[in-house]
Each structure stands twice: as structure tokens, then as C-alpha cells.
């Protein structure tokens, strides 16, 4: 259960970065909010939220692997369902995705700070 803490921290960092990206982009393109609302169910069904990755047929398993959320979900499942730590490669992928998303969100937010304060 100790493996949940780093997974939770990395997931929070990824969510923070994605929120900064989407929020900043939505200021310039208001329709992105509606598009995000429509794409969110697709994101959920192409990730392993409601089914394990083992039941996905091999020919389309690559599609599930393309979803960045899948590695986070599988890392939460490992200690809860299999009583195991997520693999080191899972942590590396999560850290890379989290840091890249947070850095991109932070840079875009800071670059657009004058636009953000103008909309407040």
C-alpha cells in the first residue's frame, strides 16, 4: 500500500499540468471546453478504468497503451488487486508524463499570464 503514495503524487502532478494546459488554452479557444467534455468519455473507455487490460484483444491493445492515463490506472491497480508494486518502468513513464505535462502547463500558463489576468 506504500506504493500508492508516489502514484498519487505523480497522478496529482499530471492532473495539475493537464489542468493548466486545458485552462490556459480554453481562454483563447472557448470551444475547447465543449470538445474536452465530448472527448472525456472516449478517454475513459480507452483507458482501463472499468476493465482490466488483460481482457483487451491483442490487435487493439496498442490503442489502450497510447492512452497516457492507462499507466496511472494500472499503477493504482497493482497494489490494490495484485498486492504488488508497480514496475519501475511504470514509475519512469508516470514521472516522465507528469513532469512533461506539468512543465508544459506551467510554461504555457506563465507565457499567457497577461491573458489569464485579463479574463479575471
Amino acid at each position: 500500500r506504500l506504493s500508492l503514495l508516489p502514484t498519487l503524487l505523480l497522478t496529482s502532478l499530471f492532473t495539475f499540468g493537464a489542468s493548466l494546459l486545458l485552462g490556459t488554452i480554453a481562454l483563447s479557444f472557448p470551444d475547447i471546453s465543449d470538445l474536452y467534455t465530448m472527448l472525456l468519455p472516449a478517454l475513459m473507455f480507452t483507458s482501463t478504468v472499468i476493465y482490466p487490460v488483460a481482457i483487451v484483444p491483442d490487435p487493439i491493445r496498442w490503442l489502450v497503451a497510447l492512452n497516457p492515463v492507462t499507466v496511472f490506472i494500472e499503477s493504482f491497480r497493482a497494489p490494490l488487486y495484485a498486492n504488488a508494486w508497480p514496475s519501475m518502468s511504470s514509475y519512469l513513464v508516470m514521472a516522465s508524463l507528469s513532469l512533461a505535462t506539468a512543465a508544459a502547463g506551467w510554461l504555457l500558463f506563465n507565457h499567457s499570464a497577461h491573458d489569464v489576468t485579463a479574463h479575471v
Side-chain angles (χ1 to χ4, degrees):
R1 306 267 191 252
L2 288 176
S3 67
L4 290 175
L5 183 61
T7 303
L8 183 62
L9 292 173
L10 290 170
T11 305
S12 298
L13 185 63
F14 177 78
T15 305
F16 174 70
S19 299
L20 284 177
L21 282 170
L22 285 170
T24 305
I25 292 170
L27 287 175
S28 299
F29 305 101
D31 292 339
I32 201 78
S33 300
D34 296 329
L35 183 63
Y36 177 73
T37 303
M38 292 185 319
L39 291 177
L40 200 57
L43 179 70
M44 185 185 79
F45 285 112
T46 59
S47 66
T48 56
V49 173
I50 54 177
Y51 55 86
V53 74
I55 69 167
V56 177
D58 286 334
I60 61 169
R61 196 170 286 186
W62 64 271
L63 184 62
V64 174
L66 283 179
N67 189 336
V69 177
T70 299
V71 70
F72 292 97
I73 294 168
E74 291 301 316
S75 294
F76 276 111
R77 282 187 176 188
L80 295 175
Y81 294 137
N83 199 22
W85 282 77
S87 67
M88 187 54 72
S89 63
S90 294
Y91 280 122
L92 290 174
V93 170
M94 285 190 302
S96 299
L97 285 170
S98 297
L99 292 173
T101 306
W106 187 255
L107 289 172
L108 183 65
F109 181 79
N110 281 333
H111 182 269
S112 304
H114 65 281
D115 294 337
V116 172
T117 56
H119 285 88
V120 175

